[in-house]
Amino acid sequence: MSANTERFLRGVEALTRGDAAAVIDFVDADAEFEPLRAATEGTFHGHDGVREFLRDTRESFDLFEPDFQEVRDLDDEQVLALGKIRIRGRGSGVETEVPTAVIAKIRDGRLVHFKDYGGRDAALSAAGLA
C-alpha cells in the first residue's frame, strides 16, 4: 500500500470517528472537496469548506460511515476508492447504503482535491480506465 492510499484511509477513519481536527489536518488549505451532494450545493473550498461539510453531515445524519472495499493508486498523486457509505437520516431514522466512488488527489501528504462520482463506472471513466 502506498503512502497516499494509507493517508487517504487514515483521513476516512478520522471522518468516520468524527475527528474534525484530524480531517482538517489532512486537507490542504486550498483543497477542493466535491462530495456527491455538492452537485446541488457546490464545491466546498479549503478548511472552512470542509468544516462546513462536516457540520452539515453531523446535522443531517446520525450515522455516516464510509466503507471503501477497493482503494488503489492511479498515479503518484491520485487515489481511486470504491465502496459504499452507510447513512442514517437524523430525525427520520431511515438507514441505507449509497455507493461511493472517489478520486482523491494527494500532494505532499495533503488532500488537494476530492470528488465523489457516486458509481464505479463514472469514477473509472473519469480516471480513464473505462
Side-chain angles (χ1 to χ4, degrees):
M1 183 178 308
S2 77
N4 282 341
T5 57
E6 286 180 23
R7 286 182 181 107
F8 176 82
L9 290 171
R10 280 197 308 268
V12 170
E13 289 170 3
L15 175 66
T16 301
R17 68 178 184 270
D19 187 346
V23 173
I24 295 299
D25 189 50
F26 172 55
V27 175
D28 187 82
D30 296 321
E32 290 188 347
F33 188 76
E34 299 179 69
L36 190 58
R37 62 186 183 224
T40 57
E41 298 174 7
T43 301
F44 295 89
H45 296 278
H47 291 163
D48 287 341
V50 172
R51 284 185 189 97
E52 180 183 346
F53 169 79
L54 294 171
R55 193 171 35 254
D56 178 62
T57 298
R58 279 191 311 271
E59 291 171 1
S60 299
F61 304 105
D62 289 325
L63 175 71
F64 186 88
E65 189 174 86
D67 179 23
F68 293 100
Q69 292 89 32
E70 182 180 346
V71 180
R72 62 180 158 151
D73 292 302
L74 294 175
D75 57 34
D76 290 343
E77 292 188 334
Q78 294 188 102
V79 172
L80 172 70
L82 306 170
K84 61 188 175 193
I85 303 173
R86 203 168 115 222
I87 57 174
R88 183 174 48 244
R90 185 172 298 281
S92 73
V94 174
E95 190 169 317
T96 191
E97 291 181 350
V98 294
T100 182
V102 169
I103 296 178
K105 187 172 187 176
I106 300 168
R107 185 178 302 131
D108 298 326
R110 311 273 313 234
L111 181 76
V112 295
H113 188 259
F114 173 101
K115 182 166 181 163
D116 187 343
Y117 290 88
R120 177 184 188 88
D121 292 343
L124 292 174
S125 179
L129 300 174

